[in-house]
Amino acid sequence: MTYASLKPVSEAFVQRKRLIFVRAAAVLAVLLLLVAKPALIEGSNGHETLELFGFCLVLVCVAGRLWSILYVGAKKNQELVSAGPFSIMQNPLYFFSTVGAVGVGLIYGSLLAAVALGLASFLIFRVTARKEAEYLLGKFGPAYIAYARNTPRFWPNPLLYHDLDELQLSTRALKRTFYDGLYFLAIFPAIELVEHFRATGLLFQPFVTLY
């Protein structure tokens, strides 16, 4: 997607649509937990390494989303935010959410699950990012074109980083993002609980193996 292919619109993207897709993907991920198992045996060095790395990615996701909302929370669709995390990529909230999705797959102990969840997250947010870009183009015109030309859409470039002297915070947005982050963190004990129930025979054994 390039700025030249965008069609400017006057109405902001309805975030509820994105939430529907995200929640549907979350339901599919839960079903995956119930019918599949990782090829790496729980407790093995490989499984524990993937689990630890995945948990670290989830922490990066939560911290990155909170960092991003500090800059955009009070200015969503009102100003063209281009400082802090938005100076190194156009969609830091979506980037960090995708990192979290990959982390969830690794916590489960499966590289295949990590790739599948990360790809699903990326595709959902790609569509959302395009809709938001069309609105920003319609609202800010040449200023947005200049920003889009010089800032990576998804993958961060730390060399572009610049910051503000002061921030205007939205406590409501910060609180909402914090609660969203708790869902990512809750995945870890949930997966551990599923594995425990399977080990004790309280859950049926899965019939699909994920590598």
Side-chain angles (χ1 to χ4, degrees), residues 7-22 76-77 91 94 123-137 139:
K7 298 179 181 180
V9 298
S10 58
E11 294 184 359
F13 178 70
V14 179
Q15 292 293 330
R16 185 167 51 214
K17 295 180 180 180
R18 174 182 61 82
L19 291 175
I20 291 174
F21 284 113
V22 171
K76 183 72 171 180
N77 295 328
N91 299 285
Y94 298 158
L123 292 176
I124 290 172
F125 290 134
R126 179 183 175 86
V127 174
T128 305
R130 182 182 181 87
K131 296 294 184 181
E132 291 184 347
E134 290 175 342
Y135 172 74
L136 293 174
L137 177 61
K139 187 175 180 66

Side-chain angles (χ1 to χ4, degrees), residues 22-23 25 27 54 61 68 72 79 94-95 98 103 106 110 113-114 128 157 162-163 185 190 202:
V22 171
R23 288 169 181 170
V27 171
C61 162
S68 301
V72 76
E79 296 181 22
Y94 298 158
F95 171 78
T98 301
L106 293 179
S110 168
T128 305
N157 181 359
H162 63 269
D163 212 337
L185 293 175
L202 295 177

Side-chain angles (χ1 to χ4, degrees), residues 36 51 92 199:
E51 194 174 74

Side-chain angles (χ1 to χ4, degrees), residues 19 37-38 47-48 60 71 76 104 109 115 118 140 173 176 211:
L19 291 175
K37 67 176 181 179
H47 186 283
E48 294 300 311
V60 169
Y71 287 80
K76 183 72 171 180
V104 169
V115 171
F140 300 107
R176 184 172 62 248
Y211 291 89

Side-chain angles (χ1 to χ4, degrees), residues 38-51:
L40 294 173
I41 300 174
E42 182 186 2
S44 66
N45 290 335
H47 186 283
E48 294 300 311
T49 298
L50 286 184
E51 194 174 74

Side-chain angles (χ1 to χ4, degrees), residues 91-103:
N91 299 285
L93 283 165
Y94 298 158
F95 171 78
F96 287 116
S97 294
T98 301
V99 168
V102 173

